[in-house]
Amino acid sequence: MVHSCRRLVQSSSTLTLLVLLVLAATPRTQAAAIDPWGSYNRALDQRPLLTTSLTAATLMSISDVACQKFEISDKTTTTTTTTTQRFDQKRTLDVAITGFIWSAPIAHVWYTLLERVVPPFESKALGVLIRLVLESLIWSPLMVFGYLTCRSVLEGASPMERLRQKFTTALVASWKFWPPLSIINYALIPLPYRVLYINILSMLWNGYLTTLNAATTTCASTTEGKIRKE
């Protein structure tokens, strides 16, 4: 199941990057002429944290719905029971809540703080490199830690056990997924739109995380069932 979503991420990443690059290159005067984009810009100016949080909740929900549909239809998914896999509405709600209360707020704070902490350099490449190192050492572990903790609390599971099982795997995956995309973010995307950029790419990243988290839950449930039978 995790491998299936990884294939989905790989096949979709190129198209997403092209869309984002076009978005970054679009002048604000032209973008404002499009009503939805202009409305988003106004909301972003007036209530940046609320706007990015709602955006994250929406996009992460869409990602989870797509991923669940993919899991259900994937004929290579193995199962130990004869019960038909059904769409899990609570899982999607948990993903939306996590995006709203954790993923977007911490990203908003991170990018704002990073611009204040890292001074401007004559070499733009050096500034991007420093931001990339700080992101890998501080933001990535914090983001993965918070995501797995929020999901486990919402599911009534043990955060410590979830982190013990999945933190290292998710962190290593984030170090593989985010650095090339973050180079584009820091080099080309204006600061007000960096969280939006991350939110869109998180549709792909969240597909991996939510499937990894679901695999943990399934394994835990199966183990519990075996223990009770014994």
Coordinates of all heavy atoms in Angstrom, one line a residue, residues 18 23 34 44-46 69 107 112 132 134 147-148 170 193 196 200 205 207 211-212 215 217 223:
L18 N 5.4 21.8 -12.7 CA 5.2 22.7 -13.8 C 4.1 23.7 -13.5 O 4.2 24.9 -13.8 CB 4.8 21.9 -15.0 CG 5.9 21.1 -15.7 CD1 5.4 20.2 -16.8 CD2 7.0 22.0 -16.2
L23 N 2.6 29.3 -11.8 CA 2.0 30.2 -10.8 C 3.0 31.2 -10.3 O 2.7 32.4 -10.1 CB 1.5 29.3 -9.7 CG 0.9 30.0 -8.5 CD1 -0.4 30.7 -8.9 CD2 0.6 29.0 -7.4
I34 N -8.1 37.3 -12.1 CA -8.8 36.1 -12.0 C -9.5 36.1 -10.7 O -8.8 36.2 -9.6 CB -7.9 34.9 -12.1 CG1 -7.1 35.0 -13.5 CG2 -8.7 33.6 -12.1 CD1 -6.1 33.9 -13.6
L44 N -5.4 36.1 1.9 CA -4.1 35.9 2.4 C -3.5 37.1 3.0 O -2.8 37.1 4.0 CB -3.2 35.4 1.2 CG -1.8 34.8 1.6 CD1 -2.0 33.6 2.4 CD2 -1.0 34.5 0.3
D45 N -3.8 38.3 2.4 CA -3.3 39.6 3.0 C -4.0 39.9 4.3 O -3.4 40.4 5.3 CB -3.6 40.7 2.0 CG -2.7 40.6 0.8 OD1 -1.6 40.0 1.0 OD2 -3.0 41.2 -0.2
Q46 N -5.3 39.6 4.4 CA -6.1 40.0 5.6 C -6.0 39.0 6.7 O -5.9 39.3 7.9 CB -7.6 40.1 5.2 CG -7.8 41.3 4.2 CD -9.2 41.3 3.7 OE1 -10.1 40.5 4.0 NE2 -9.5 42.2 2.7
K69 N -9.1 6.1 -2.4 CA -9.7 5.5 -3.6 C -8.7 4.7 -4.3 O -9.0 3.6 -4.8 CB -10.2 6.7 -4.5 CG -11.3 7.5 -3.9 CD -12.6 6.7 -3.8 CE -13.8 7.5 -3.4 NZ -15.0 6.7 -3.2
A107 N 4.1 25.6 9.3 CA 4.8 26.1 8.1 C 4.7 27.6 8.0 O 5.7 28.2 7.6 CB 4.1 25.5 6.9
T112 N 8.1 32.5 8.0 CA 8.2 33.8 8.5 C 9.4 34.0 9.4 O 10.2 35.0 9.2 CB 6.9 34.2 9.3 OG1 5.8 34.0 8.5 CG2 7.0 35.7 9.8
L132 N 18.0 25.5 3.3 CA 17.8 24.1 3.1 C 18.3 23.2 4.2 O 17.7 22.3 4.7 CB 18.4 23.7 1.8 CG 18.0 22.4 1.1 CD1 16.5 22.4 0.8 CD2 18.8 22.1 -0.1
L134 N 18.9 24.2 7.4 CA 18.0 24.5 8.6 C 16.7 23.7 8.5 O 16.2 23.2 9.5 CB 17.8 26.0 8.7 CG 19.0 26.8 9.1 CD1 18.6 28.3 9.2 CD2 19.5 26.4 10.5
Y147 N 3.0 15.7 13.0 CA 2.0 15.0 12.2 C 1.6 13.7 12.8 O 0.5 13.4 13.0 CB 2.5 14.8 10.7 CG 1.5 14.1 9.8 CD1 0.6 14.8 9.1 CD2 1.5 12.7 9.8 CE1 -0.3 14.2 8.3 CE2 0.6 12.1 9.0 CZ -0.3 12.8 8.2 OH -1.2 12.1 7.4
L148 N 2.6 12.9 13.1 CA 2.4 11.6 13.6 C 1.7 11.7 15.0 O 0.9 10.8 15.4 CB 3.7 10.8 13.7 CG 4.3 10.4 12.4 CD1 5.7 9.7 12.6 CD2 3.4 9.5 11.6
A170 N 9.5 8.0 8.2 CA 8.9 9.2 7.6 C 10.0 10.3 7.4 O 9.9 11.0 6.5 CB 7.8 9.7 8.5
Y193 N 3.6 33.2 -0.7 CA 3.0 32.1 -1.4 C 3.8 30.8 -1.1 O 3.4 29.7 -1.7 CB 3.0 32.3 -2.9 CG 2.2 33.5 -3.3 CD1 2.9 34.6 -3.8 CD2 0.8 33.5 -3.2 CE1 2.1 35.7 -4.2 CE2 0.1 34.6 -3.6 CZ 0.8 35.7 -4.0 OH 0.0 36.9 -4.4
L196 N 1.5 28.2 0.5 CA 0.6 27.6 -0.6 C 1.3 26.6 -1.4 O 0.8 25.5 -1.7 CB 0.1 28.8 -1.5 CG -0.8 28.3 -2.7 CD1 -2.0 27.6 -2.2 CD2 -1.1 29.5 -3.5
I200 N 0.2 22.6 -1.7 CA -0.1 21.9 -2.9 C 0.8 20.6 -3.0 O 0.3 19.6 -3.3 CB 0.1 22.8 -4.1 CG1 -0.9 24.0 -4.1 CG2 0.0 22.0 -5.4 CD1 -0.7 25.0 -5.2
W205 N 2.8 14.6 -0.7 CA 3.5 14.1 0.5 C 2.6 13.5 1.5 O 2.8 12.5 2.1 CB 4.3 15.3 1.1 CG 4.9 15.0 2.5 CD1 4.6 15.6 3.7 CD2 5.9 14.0 2.8 NE1 5.3 15.1 4.7 CE2 6.2 14.1 4.2 CE3 6.6 13.1 2.0 CZ2 7.1 13.3 4.8 CZ3 7.6 12.3 2.6 CH2 7.8 12.4 4.0
G207 N -0.1 12.0 0.9 CA -0.5 10.7 0.4 C 0.4 9.6 0.9 O -0.1 8.5 1.4
T211 N -0.8 7.1 4.2 CA -0.8 5.7 4.0 C 0.2 5.0 5.0 O -0.1 3.9 5.4 CB -0.3 5.4 2.5 OG1 -1.2 6.1 1.6 CG2 -0.5 3.9 2.2
L212 N 1.3 5.6 5.2 CA 2.2 5.1 6.2 C 1.5 5.0 7.6 O 1.6 4.0 8.3 CB 3.4 6.0 6.3 CG 4.6 5.5 7.3 CD1 5.2 4.2 6.8 CD2 5.6 6.6 7.4
A215 N -1.1 2.2 7.6 CA -0.4 0.9 7.7 C -0.1 0.6 9.1 O -0.2 -0.6 9.6 CB 0.8 0.9 6.8
T217 N -1.7 1.7 11.8 CA -3.0 1.5 12.5 C -3.5 0.1 12.2 O -3.9 -0.7 13.1 CB -4.0 2.5 12.1 OG1 -3.5 3.8 12.3 CG2 -5.3 2.3 12.8
T223 N -2.6 -6.9 15.4 CA -1.8 -7.5 16.5 C -2.7 -7.6 17.8 O -2.7 -8.6 18.5 CB -0.6 -6.6 16.9 OG1 0.2 -6.5 15.7 CG2 0.2 -7.2 18.0

